[in-house]
């Protein structure tokens, strides 16, 4: 399953207050690649990796690989990925500025 498929498989009402969820839902998938978002349990916590590689449209097309022994629901999986993608610790305005400028390719080259 890709991140886009996961986003559209959960109840959108549950995420009506999530700016990240709304942005991902509105973003058009792009080229994608053979990259995968990795989800596993580390020290008792769900760890998500490879969720920041590529543009937002690319990330939507990445397959999600969940560690075989990790038994989580789609909602728990999406929550973990959204938490990883969130700008934890930033104010709402800083988060909004980040997402509004996320598709700026010049900035992406500088940051990445």
């Amino acid at each position: 399953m890709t991140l886009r498929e996961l986003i559209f498989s959960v109840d959108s009402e549950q995420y009506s207050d999530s700016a990240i969820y709304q942005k991902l839902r509105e973003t058009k998938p792009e080229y994608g690649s053979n990259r995968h978002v990795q989800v596993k349990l580390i020290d008792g916590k769900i760890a998500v990796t490879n969720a920041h590689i590529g543009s937002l449209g690319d990330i939507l097309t990445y397959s999600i690989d969940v560690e075989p022994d990790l038994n989580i629901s789609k909602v728990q999986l999406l929550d973990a990925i959204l938490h990883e993608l969130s700008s934890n610790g930033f104010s709402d305005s800083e988060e909004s500025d980040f997402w509004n400028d996320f598709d700026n390719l010049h900035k992406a080259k500088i940051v990445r």
Side-chain angles (χ1 to χ4, degrees), residues 37-54:
V37 173
Q38 304 287 326
V39 182
K40 53 188 158 189
L41 198 61
I42 298 177
D43 295 330
K45 295 182 181 180
I46 297 173
V48 177
T49 57
N50 296 337
H52 298 284
I53 302 170

Side-chain angles (χ1 to χ4, degrees), residues 52-63:
H52 298 284
I53 302 170
S55 71
L56 202 53
D58 287 338
I59 294 167
L60 283 171
T61 65
Y62 296 169
S63 294

Side-chain angles (χ1 to χ4, degrees), residues 7 9 12 25 31 50 52 65 77 86 95 99 105 108:
I7 287 169
S9 72
S12 61
R25 213 171 146 85
Y31 304 106
N50 296 337
H52 298 284
D65 294 339
L77 178 59
S86 72
E95 181 179 357
W99 287 112
L105 295 179

Side-chain angles (χ1 to χ4, degrees), residues 40-98:
K40 53 188 158 189
L41 198 61
I42 298 177
D43 295 330
K45 295 182 181 180
I46 297 173
V48 177
T49 57
N50 296 337
H52 298 284
I53 302 170
S55 71
L56 202 53
D58 287 338
I59 294 167
L60 283 171
T61 65
Y62 296 169
S63 294
I64 302 170
D65 294 339
V66 179
E67 187 174 64
D69 296 339
L70 186 60
N71 187 19
I72 60 174
S73 70
K74 287 183 178 181
V75 170
Q76 290 171 311
L77 178 59
L78 182 57
D79 287 347
I81 293 171
L82 292 178
H83 179 73
E84 179 63 28
L85 288 171
S86 72
S87 51
N88 195 16
F90 292 127
S91 69
D92 288 342
S93 64
E94 289 171 326
E95 181 179 357
S96 178
D97 290 344
F98 173 80

